[in-house]
Amino acid sequence: MVNPVTPSAGVLSPLGLDAVRLAPGFWGDRADLNREVMIDHCLEWMEREGWIGNFRGERPRRGREFSDSEAYKLLEAMAWAGHPGLPELAATVAAAQEGDGYLNTRWSQGRYSDFEWGHELYCYGHLIQAGVARLRAHGEDELTEVARRAADHVCGRFMETTETCGHPVVEMALVELYRVTGTERYLEMARRFVERRGTPALGPIHLGRAYFQDDLPVRRARVLRGHAVRALYLSAGAVDVAVETGDDELLHAIEEQWENTVARRTHLTGGMGSRHADESFGEDFELPADRAYSETCAGIASIMLAHRLLLATGRARYADLAERTLYNVLATSPALDGRSFFYANPLQMRVPPEPREGVVPHTSGVGLRSSWYDVSCCPNNIARTLASLPAYLAAADGDALRVHHYAPAEIRHRGLTLRLETDYPWSGTVTAHVVEGRPGRVALRVPSWAEGATLTHGGTTRPAGPGYVTAEGDWRPGDRIRLDLPMRARWTFPDRRVDAVRGCAAVERGPLVYCAESAGDEPPLALVKVLPGPPAERTADGIVELEARACLVPPADTAWPYRSGNGDAAGRGDASAREDTDVQEAADDASAPAGREVTLRMVPYHRWGNRGPSSMRVWLPLA
Amino acid sequence: MVNPVTPSAGVLSPLGLDAVRLAPGFWGDRADLNREVMIDHCLEWMEREGWIGNFRGERPRRGREFSDSEAYKLLEAMAWAGHPGLPELAATVAAAQEGDGYLNTRWSQGRYSDFEWGHELYCYGHLIQAGVARLRAHGEDELTEVARRAADHVCGRFMETTETCGHPVVEMALVELYRVTGTERYLEMARRFVERRGTPALGPIHLGRAYFQDDLPVRRARVLRGHAVRALYLSAGAVDVAVETGDDELLHAIEEQWENTVARRTHLTGGMGSRHADESFGEDFELPADRAYSETCAGIASIMLAHRLLLATGRARYADLAERTLYNVLATSPALDGRSFFYANPLQMRVPPEPREGVVPHTSGVGLRSSWYDVSCCPNNIARTLASLPAYLAAADGDALRVHHYAPAEIRHRGLTLRLETDYPWSGTVTAHVVEGRPGRVALRVPSWAEGATLTHGGTTRPAGPGYVTAEGDWRPGDRIRLDLPMRARWTFPDRRVDAVRGCAAVERGPLVYCAESAGDEPPLALVKVLPGPPAERTADGIVELEARACLVPPADTAWPYRSGNGDAAGRGDASAREDTDVQEAADDASAPAGREVTLRMVPYHRWGNRGPSSMRVWLPLA
């Protein structure tokens, strides 16, 4: 089956990329842009930066120790997209493979001398994923041969050791290779890598073992921690192993970790990772807006994990989070022209970033889409995800068809073909036209935010609660199933333990998080307070923007930004803020001028920064 | 004069360490602990880690590229403290100096090959500061000779170039060497280093030029930015240059930068630096409690800068910030036994840190005092500061004596000797007993928080407003001047632009910031909301603790930590929080149970973490 994830067990089964065809629309347009622009953009930059030249033996070697993996991620994208450049790039890679299957342009001198930071198995993981994609989408060729030889080398070298890699990903790659080839030692190797972790299997590092999830065995952890991409890739690989080996304990462990992570360590956008310093999840409820790291790749990894858990369990929660992340992380990173990308996805920019040219260090350039980074995982990761996007839209529940995500598309499953028409996420109406019919069930997901949704078919309309709503019938061409999701904008408030955004609200509409952006003549975002009330809608160029009422309160600039009152009625301000004020007034900032009312234009978060450098806020202080 | 800063111009003049003698008390005890424990602790660890062995040519060289500077900071501490180990350490250092004055254990092969990160001039800066301390406290010896040869080497090598160092500090060191020797080329070299910066003088780095203040000429900047320690050392050096060259434009530029930094980029504790990733100031009002970096060394550097500005201008504001930083950063870092130190000083710990042994990476171990760090600037920096602490207490304003900070001490100035008796900061009463008398003025600082202070002498009591209050008289032995500073605990509220602590309050009492700490059976700090009202005082072992009323609200654990309401009266919660709630209720978290009232024990922030690993909060959500 042509699909990035094809488990042999689980509640749902994938349909295959060939069974889901995207039409023009929110996602179809992005998939086209990927095929037509992004993949070539990545290829050009990797040539320019020498990361492909490394495979040709060009010296000095360029790029970071894991740069080989970028070529592999792009090969995977090319495989799914049927990009004509694949054979040439595959041949370049193949030429660098050594006789015993070893392949790494950085470590060919001094193999496996640094498991903590060397990334050799990580690179194999992406190479194998590319090989799997090619096998499924095309069949055997040079790339698939290279990948199998690499996998065989890995099994030979590591089956009986206690070693593993500082950066997980090889686990899910090996399970996928097992799925497509049936070769059981790949599954066994993956299982061992998962089980080794946290025994511990790696040396101590200055960031601590939790950084690469080597602090605890996978099945004993309670929450995702450490480097977000590493944690999510590892979890995805563990789900793959659990599903193929029937290891329910392992599956449930990951489910619990996911639940705790989503309940306490996830940004409103679905983004994961709070810390810049080590690209990690922070502690529970450590979710700063301005310094949210929310790496694009962590969003992609989260979608990969949620998709696996969805297939395994059929639970709508996983699709809910995947949708949130698709619209608010994956769609946010690339610029509208597909030629620059966010690496991090903060929820607040206090000051418009300075424009930067050329290759930008991934550690800086926050709030700025850049053409390329010194660590450029995100563009390639987006490319491979957009190239396999149809895999996420729908799945089979036996004979029944389940649709998780809404986009104009045609979906086929065992003699039933539906043509989905929708202007989602701008409109909440989704119509499934039966093109080819048979008796059976069609389940449509009602997102958790969609209170008041209705399902209409066969002349009747009924309420459709959150989760999957099922329409059963003897479907004939011309039949229609209509789902209406209420698309009213809504205010959203954080758990009180999310200290960073206390006293703030955000606006969501459908699956989209909105933000205020100060790119033009908008009021300075540090000085507005919003007045909750239904935001007005305004559609421009097919995009729904919102207008919120707010008041603009001039700053009370003081020499010291903290003001004291005594613990009784008639306290006094600190030296720098002389006005009389009692405690509650000081707390409420009521001594500030009342401000004047302004209209705050709010745009979908995924579109921010496309009008030039800007300040931005998702979370807005309440008046 | 025996003093770390001896400007030849300015409103105030230093008194000299020999004119101020600390007696037992808050600071006297710490100075004793430094002399008796901390200096030896640092010496032992540097021997153990090989950083001193580097000077003996032991190989492989150990420690970071700037580890030489740690030996120099400690030599400065030893010089001020009259530590008997100085000659031996100085001889070890001297033996490593090359014939032309060059001295660096890391770069002797490949001198000056990396100005951005090499730290060679930074190391000279600390060596020269040690030499200056020795010259003033003792007179010429091997250490002072080494320092002068190094300074001469620097002048010879760099006077006519356009180069400078990625880490400032040599600027103030050279000015001080000029002050003590009268050799004008040291001042000129310092002036050139200050002026070169931001032209730009350094190469681009991945963190951007603002990281080491090379983005703008010093006199054109408006606010401190980039790496906090670098920015503060540079500013201190610029003040030294400005004062000695009569460059008022440069002085005013630093004053303005300081004003803006204090108004917008300083934590309540006086701590500076918001970001872990590059140890930098963030943007204006980016002052997270949990991820406050507030490096101990940045606090020390801020005290150094404020002290210079105070001497130059006589303005009480600088002493106010220095006091805040002394009590809430400098005093916070060392453990009560003087054998472990905080590197970073966050204002919130969500979870008690994991205990760690041995040399801890400075990038981790937050919330934990460690014996030693891979980058161990902080312990040595504390040692040299505590060893020269009397320099900060008082100054001369011509014939008049000004006392900035209160501690049991004896202070002499031109025939007037005062013995200060006080239990400050626990009590607000300070009595200056005249031991040796003459006619003249005595000015005492009234901190900005001390509304309602009074001054009593000669039988009259009068109100004493913030700033300096002056007592004039023909002082005779036995006379007393009494300052009464009201020590009532006060609630303090942040500027509304400090997003991270919106809706919170902190408690201060006198110069001390307080915190709630959960080391024992205290309620979980994530779940309390405080009820403002006068905190109760409780004195235990001489320490004033406070008790605040709070309510403990059980968590409403939900699967998703954000809850939606519609923009009108009868909105509904998100899928994960099903209860009906209107917008304002959701915003107020009023749907949570009301909670039960508890008493929250609050300890001085500088004492937190001394009872073992704990969670901690300075900023507490308001009920």
Side-chain angles (χ1 to χ4, degrees):
Chain A
M1 179 177 294
V2 186
N3 196 293
V5 190
T6 61
S8 65
V11 172
L12 304 180
S13 314
L15 289 179
L17 302 186
D18 39 358
V20 181
R21 216 169 50 224
L22 283 168
F26 190 96
W27 289 114
D29 295 349
R30 283 166 171 79
D32 288 347
L33 188 69
N34 181 48
R35 208 167 20 243
E36 292 158 14
V37 176
M38 291 186 206
I39 290 175
D40 289 319
H41 173 93
C42 293
L43 195 58
E44 285 158 24
W45 273 95
M46 280 198 277
E47 270 293 0
R48 190 181 311 181
E49 289 304 302
W51 302 358
I52 293 175
N54 291 337
F55 290 101
R56 296 187 204 106
E58 291 166 14
R59 289 296 176 263
R61 186 189 176 282
R62 294 173 65 191
R64 290 288 299 269
E65 61 274 26
F66 39 72
S67 70
D68 290 1
S69 76
E70 306 310 341
Y72 306 151
K73 285 172 207 144
L74 193 65
L75 278 168
E76 183 186 341
M78 292 167 130
W80 297 128
H83 190 282
L86 185 143
E88 185 185 332
L89 179 55
T92 304
V93 167
Q97 192 167 37
E98 301 184 29
D100 64 348
Y102 183 89
L103 174 47
N104 193 291
T105 69
R106 164 69 182 78
W107 299 99
S108 57
Q109 310 294 319
R111 290 181 182 193
Y112 305 123
S113 54
D114 184 355
F115 285 102
E116 289 72 32
W117 297 108
H119 286 79
E120 282 153 297
L121 287 162
Y122 169 81
C123 289
Y124 288 135
H126 282 294
L127 173 61
I128 293 166
Q129 287 181 332
V132 167
R134 187 62 169 172
L135 264 173
R136 289 179 177 150
H138 171 92
E140 304 227 354
D141 72 355
E142 191 168 22
L143 175 60
T144 66
E145 183 56 29
V146 171
R148 286 203 65 157
R149 289 176 59 207
D152 291 337
H153 164 80
V154 168
C155 294
R157 171 68 180 73
F158 293 99
M159 191 67 80
E160 303 303 332
T161 75
T162 59
E163 298 151 329
T164 193
C165 183
H167 199 315
V169 89
V170 74
E171 298 82 359
M172 58 177 149
L174 286 167
V175 177
E176 283 284 286
L177 188 61
Y178 154 73
R179 286 168 174 163
V180 70
T181 63
T183 306
E184 296 208 348
R185 74 173 177 285
Y186 300 143
L187 175 61
E188 177 60 15
M189 186 73 258
R191 191 188 68 76
R192 293 187 184 192
F193 280 137
V194 168
E195 296 294 353
R196 274 170 205 174
R197 210 160 199 95
T199 51
L202 293 158
I205 56 167
H206 69 292
L207 298 171
R209 281 208 170 87
Y211 172 78
F212 43 34
Q213 298 77 46
D214 197 34
D215 54 333
L216 279 175
V218 173
R219 65 180 74 234
R220 279 189 37 218
R222 301 285 313 273
V223 68
L224 300 187
R225 68 231 172 273
H227 188 269
V229 174
R230 281 171 168 82
L232 289 157
Y233 280 173
L234 176 64
S235 301
V239 172
D240 284 340
V241 167
V243 165
E244 295 306 324
T245 62
D247 187 341
D248 285 347
E249 182 193 80
L250 182 59
L251 179 63
H252 295 329
I254 302 296
E255 285 186 279
E256 184 191 12
Q257 291 168 40
W258 186 93
E259 301 269 348
N260 287 330
T261 303
V262 171
R264 294 158 178 254
R265 299 187 174 188
T266 302
H267 296 283
L268 182 65
T269 53
M272 292 189 182
S274 290
R275 296 185 179 176
H276 283 246
D278 55 0
E279 303 181 307
S280 72
F281 288 102
E283 299 292 344
D284 286 352
F285 303 110
E286 181 188 323
L287 294 162
D290 51 353
R291 295 290 285 170
Y293 194 63
S294 182
E295 186 184 336
T296 300
C297 287
I300 290 169
S302 171
I303 292 165
M304 293 170 77
L305 173 59
H307 180 60
R308 281 160 170 79
L309 288 168
L310 174 64
L311 293 177
T313 68
R315 292 181 61 202
R317 288 210 61 198
Y318 300 117
D320 281 354
L321 187 80
E323 174 174 76
R324 186 175 283 280
T325 314
L326 283 163
Y327 282 101
N328 300 295
V329 180
L330 183 72
T332 304
S333 173
L336 296 177
D337 69 358
R339 296 189 179 278
S340 60
F341 305 85
F342 281 138
Y343 193 100
N345 295 280
L347 278 71
Q348 176 182 8
M349 275 300 287
R350 295 175 179 275
V351 177
E354 295 279 338
R356 299 181 69 154
E357 295 292 323
V359 178
V360 171
H362 73 292
T363 50
S364 51
V366 176
L368 198 72
R369 290 186 181 89
S370 298
S371 301
W372 206 246
Y373 294 93
D374 60 339
V375 174
S376 232
C377 39
C378 299
N380 301 301
N381 228 343
I382 290 170
R384 70 180 183 136
T385 308
L386 288 176
S388 55
L389 201 64
Y392 298 97
L393 255 64
D397 181 359
D399 229 31
L401 178 65
R402 281 217 215 171
V403 183
H404 309 305
H405 302 296
Y406 302 113
E410 196 170 270
I411 305 176
R412 285 182 294 111
H413 176 52
R414 297 189 188 168
L416 177 66
T417 301
L418 300 181
R419 195 181 72 247
L420 258 50
E421 290 188 356
T422 183
D423 196 26
Y424 198 82
W426 313 116
S427 145
T429 300
V430 181
T431 307
H433 299 263
V434 177
V435 175
E436 184 189 10
R438 64 162 168 81
R441 284 177 296 124
V442 173
L444 301 175
R445 187 177 62 90
V446 178
S448 63
W449 48 261
E451 296 263 346
T454 58
L455 185 74
T456 304
H457 66 101
T460 61
T461 295
R462 59 190 164 99
Y468 288 92
V469 59
T470 301
E472 190 151 11
D474 182 3
W475 306 109
R476 307 286 169 93
D479 284 351
R480 282 186 286 187
I481 310 169
R482 198 179 82 223
L483 182 66
D484 284 293
L485 304 171
M487 278 291 179
R488 231 172 5 160
R490 60 194 190 275
W491 289 98
T492 298
F493 307 90
D495 186 291
R496 71 192 145 96
R497 288 167 289 182
V498 185
D499 295 293
V501 293
R502 177 172 289 111
C504 292
V507 177
E508 299 181 275
R509 182 180 179 280
L512 301 183
V513 173
Y514 277 68
C515 67
E517 183 183 32
S518 185
D521 54 359
E522 293 87 353
L525 298 182
L527 304 179
V528 295
K529 295 182 174 190
V530 288
L531 304 159
E537 299 199 357
R538 197 176 65 175
T539 301
D541 299 328
I543 308 302
V544 178
E545 296 191 349
L546 302 174
E547 289 179 345
R549 286 172 59 228
C551 53
L552 176 64
V553 185
D557 281 319
T558 53
W560 179 240
Y562 311 100
R563 176 175 48 176
S564 296
N566 284 322
D568 47 18
R572 283 193 158 262
D574 203 341
S576 56
R578 300 246 133 257
E579 70 272 34
D580 279 4
T581 167
D582 76 19
V583 169
Q584 207 49 54
E585 274 178 356
D588 293 350
D589 197 30
S591 57
R596 66 181 168 84
E597 200 171 319
V598 294
T599 298
L600 199 60
R601 175 182 171 194
M602 305 206 58
V603 301
Y605 173 74
H606 73 263
R607 293 182 72 87
W608 90 274
N610 272 299
R611 291 185 289 160
S614 63
S615 59
M616 178 274 293
R617 289 190 82 118
V618 167
W619 291 105
L620 296 156
L622 287 160
Chain B
M1 176 177 298
V2 187
N3 197 292
V5 190
T6 61
S8 64
V11 171
L12 304 180
S13 313
L15 289 180
L17 302 186
D18 39 0
V20 180
R21 217 168 51 223
L22 283 168
F26 190 96
W27 289 113
D29 295 349
R30 283 168 171 77
D32 289 347
L33 188 68
N34 181 48
R35 208 166 20 242
E36 292 157 15
V37 176
M38 291 186 204
I39 290 175
D40 289 320
H41 173 93
C42 292
L43 194 58
E44 285 159 25
W45 274 95
M46 280 198 277
E47 270 293 0
R48 189 181 311 179
E49 289 303 302
W51 302 358
I52 293 174
N54 291 336
F55 290 101
R56 299 187 201 104
E58 290 166 14
R59 291 291 175 268
R61 185 189 177 281
R62 294 173 66 191
R64 291 286 300 269
E65 61 275 26
F66 38 73
S67 70
D68 291 1
S69 76
E70 307 309 343
Y72 305 151
K73 284 172 208 144
L74 193 65
L75 278 168
E76 183 185 341
M78 292 167 131
W80 298 128
H83 191 282
L86 184 145
E88 185 186 332
L89 181 54
T92 304
V93 167
Q97 191 166 36
E98 300 183 28
D100 64 348
Y102 183 89
L103 174 46
N104 193 290
T105 69
R106 166 66 182 80
W107 299 101
S108 57
Q109 311 294 320
R111 289 181 184 193
Y112 305 123
S113 54
D114 184 355
F115 284 101
E116 290 72 33
W117 297 108
H119 286 77
E120 283 154 297
L121 286 162
Y122 169 81
C123 289
Y124 289 134
H126 282 294
L127 173 62
I128 294 167
Q129 287 181 331
V132 167
R134 188 62 171 171
L135 264 173
R136 289 180 177 150
H138 171 91
E140 303 230 352
D141 72 353
E142 190 168 22
L143 176 59
T144 67
E145 182 57 27
V146 171
R148 286 202 65 157
R149 288 176 60 207
D152 291 337
H153 164 81
V154 168
C155 292
R157 171 68 180 73
F158 292 100
M159 191 67 80
E160 304 302 333
T161 76
T162 58
E163 298 150 330
T164 193
C165 183
H167 200 315
V169 89
V170 74
E171 299 81 0
M172 56 177 151
L174 286 166
V175 177
E176 283 283 287
L177 188 61
Y178 154 74
R179 286 168 174 162
V180 71
T181 63
T183 307
E184 294 208 350
R185 73 173 177 284
Y186 299 144
L187 175 60
E188 177 60 15
M189 186 73 258
R191 190 188 69 75
R192 291 188 186 191
F193 280 138
V194 169
E195 296 294 353
R196 272 172 207 173
R197 212 162 196 94
T199 52
L202 294 158
I205 57 167
H206 69 292
L207 299 170
R209 282 208 169 87
Y211 172 79
F212 43 34
Q213 298 77 46
D214 198 34
D215 54 332
L216 279 175
V218 174
R219 64 180 75 234
R220 278 188 38 218
R222 300 286 314 274
V223 68
L224 300 188
R225 68 233 171 271
H227 187 271
V229 175
R230 282 171 167 83
L232 290 157
Y233 280 174
L234 176 64
S235 301
V239 172
D240 283 340
V241 167
V243 165
E244 297 305 324
T245 61
D247 188 340
D248 285 348
E249 182 193 81
L250 182 58
L251 179 63
H252 295 330
I254 303 295
E255 285 186 279
E256 183 190 12
Q257 291 168 39
W258 186 93
E259 301 269 347
N260 287 331
T261 302
V262 171
R264 294 157 178 255
R265 297 187 176 188
T266 303
H267 296 282
L268 182 65
T269 53
M272 293 188 181
S274 290
R275 296 186 179 175
H276 283 246
D278 55 1
E279 303 181 305
S280 72
F281 288 100
E283 299 293 343
D284 285 353
F285 302 108
E286 181 189 323
L287 293 162
D290 51 352
R291 296 290 284 169
Y293 195 62
S294 182
E295 186 184 338
T296 300
C297 287
I300 290 169
S302 171
I303 292 166
M304 294 170 77
L305 174 60
H307 180 60
R308 282 161 169 78
L309 288 168
L310 174 63
L311 292 177
T313 67
R315 291 181 62 203
R317 288 210 60 199
Y318 300 117
D320 280 354
L321 187 80
E323 174 174 76
R324 187 175 282 280
T325 313
L326 283 163
Y327 280 100
N328 301 295
V329 179
L330 182 71
T332 305
S333 173
L336 296 177
D337 70 357
R339 295 188 180 280
S340 61
F341 305 84
F342 281 138
Y343 192 101
N345 296 279
L347 278 69
Q348 176 181 8
M349 276 299 287
R350 295 175 180 274
V351 177
E354 295 279 338
R356 298 182 70 154
E357 295 292 323
V359 178
V360 171
H362 73 291
T363 49
S364 51
V366 176
L368 198 71
R369 291 187 181 87
S370 298
S371 301
W372 206 246
Y373 294 93
D374 59 339
V375 174
S376 232
C377 39
C378 299
N380 301 301
N381 228 343
I382 289 171
R384 69 177 186 140
T385 307
L386 288 176
S388 54
L389 201 64
Y392 298 97
L393 255 65
D397 181 0
D399 228 30
L401 178 66
R402 280 215 214 172
V403 183
H404 310 306
H405 302 296
Y406 302 114
E410 195 170 270
I411 305 177
R412 285 183 293 111
H413 176 51
R414 297 189 188 169
L416 178 67
T417 301
L418 300 181
R419 194 180 73 247
L420 258 51
E421 290 188 355
T422 182
D423 198 25
Y424 198 82
W426 312 116
S427 146
T429 299
V430 181
T431 307
H433 298 263
V434 177
V435 175
E436 184 188 11
R438 64 162 168 82
R441 284 177 296 125
V442 174
L444 302 175
R445 188 176 62 90
V446 178
S448 62
W449 48 262
E451 296 263 347
T454 58
L455 185 75
T456 303
H457 67 101
T460 62
T461 295
R462 58 191 163 96
Y468 288 93
V469 58
T470 302
E472 192 153 9
D474 182 3
W475 305 111
R476 306 283 169 97
D479 285 353
R480 281 186 287 188
I481 310 168
R482 198 180 81 223
L483 182 67
D484 283 293
L485 303 172
M487 277 292 178
R488 228 168 12 156
R490 60 195 189 275
W491 289 97
T492 298
F493 307 90
D495 186 291
R496 71 193 144 97
R497 287 167 288 182
V498 185
D499 294 294
V501 292
R502 177 173 289 111
C504 292
V507 177
E508 299 181 275
R509 182 180 179 279
L512 301 182
V513 173
Y514 277 67
C515 67
E517 184 183 31
S518 187
D521 54 359
E522 293 88 351
L525 299 182
L527 303 179
V528 295
K529 295 183 175 191
V530 288
L531 304 158
E537 299 198 358
R538 196 176 67 174
T539 301
D541 301 328
I543 307 303
V544 178
E545 296 191 351
L546 302 173
E547 289 179 345
R549 286 172 58 228
C551 53
L552 176 63
V553 186
D557 281 320
T558 53
W560 178 240
Y562 310 100
R563 176 177 47 178
S564 296
N566 283 322
D568 49 16
R572 284 193 158 263
D574 204 340
S576 56
R578 297 249 135 255
E579 71 273 35
D580 279 6
T581 169
D582 75 19
V583 168
Q584 205 52 52
E585 274 178 357
D588 293 348
D589 197 29
S591 57
R596 66 182 168 86
E597 200 170 318
V598 294
T599 297
L600 199 60
R601 176 182 171 192
M602 306 207 56
V603 299
Y605 173 74
H606 72 264
R607 293 183 71 88
W608 90 274
N610 272 298
R611 291 186 289 161
S614 63
S615 60
M616 179 275 293
R617 287 190 83 118
V618 167
W619 291 106
L620 296 156
L622 287 160

